[in-house]
Amino acid sequence: MSLFDRLLLILHSLVVAVLSAVVALAKAGAAPLEWVWETPHFRWTVAVIGLLLFLSSLRLLFSAMRRPKDEGVDRLTEFGYIRISLDTLESIASKAARGVKGIRDLTARVRFSSDSPSSVGIGLKITVDGETPIQLLSEELQRIVKKQVEEIAGVEVSQVSVLVKDTVQPERSRIRVD
């Protein structure tokens, strides 16, 4: 979120808080608001404030949902810069993880590491087959994903976190007795 968006969020929150307090006081009978609607220039002020709140709400909503497309890890070579996007690193991690026996489904997320701006952390949400021990499967998954991302992309991986979200029991064929 940019500095402008953060300042807009602070201003938006303050205005909404003040308006909420005024409306609550008016409803309780402590602050009559009839004078706002009776004076023509106050009506226009209220309309403009409402429009500005609506527009700032839309701006904040869209800026919160937008993911910068150019996020990536930069490498300097003798020929120039190389930027490897986080989406590319997620694809490498997913492909490496799918090769591990016992994984049924997974999603991968790559974030910049707080330790170093040139390293990343990888988060994996997995569904396992229910036959392979989860501890062994997770450790193998961490080792393989870290190794593959570091070898293929040349990016340091500070950690690989695994969340086992579900197990799927294998379907067993029914025995038919005649």
Side-chain angles (χ1 to χ4, degrees), residues 38-127:
E38 293 170 357
T39 310
H41 97 256
F42 279 131
R43 283 188 284 201
W44 284 105
T45 304
V46 169
V48 169
I49 289 173
L51 179 64
L52 290 175
L53 282 173
F54 177 72
L55 293 175
S56 67
S57 296
L58 288 178
R59 163 75 184 193
L60 291 170
L61 178 68
F62 288 122
S63 69
M65 293 172 45
R66 175 182 46 181
R67 179 178 177 186
K69 297 292 182 195
D70 60 346
E71 278 190 328
V73 178
D74 292 333
R75 293 282 177 233
L76 177 62
T77 67
E78 63 183 88
F79 303 110
Y81 282 99
I82 299 172
R83 175 169 285 175
I84 302 171
S85 72
L86 295 183
D87 291 337
T88 301
L89 298 175
E90 286 175 4
S91 296
I92 294 169
S94 292
K95 184 177 179 184
R98 290 189 197 287
V100 176
K101 184 177 185 271
I103 303 289
R104 288 293 182 102
D105 188 30
L106 72 100
T107 56
R109 285 298 277 170
V110 176
R111 300 273 184 216
F112 290 110
S113 176
S114 58
D115 303 338
S116 167
S118 62
S119 68
V120 295
I122 301 173
L124 300 169
K125 284 185 184 177
I126 62 172
T127 300

Side-chain angles (χ1 to χ4, degrees), residues 1-12 56 59-64 66:
M1 188 178 271
S2 69
L3 179 61
F4 174 74
D5 288 337
R6 290 180 188 184
L7 291 174
L8 183 63
L9 178 62
I10 290 169
L11 181 64
H12 186 273
S56 67
R59 163 75 184 193
L60 291 170
L61 178 68
F62 288 122
S63 69
R66 175 182 46 181

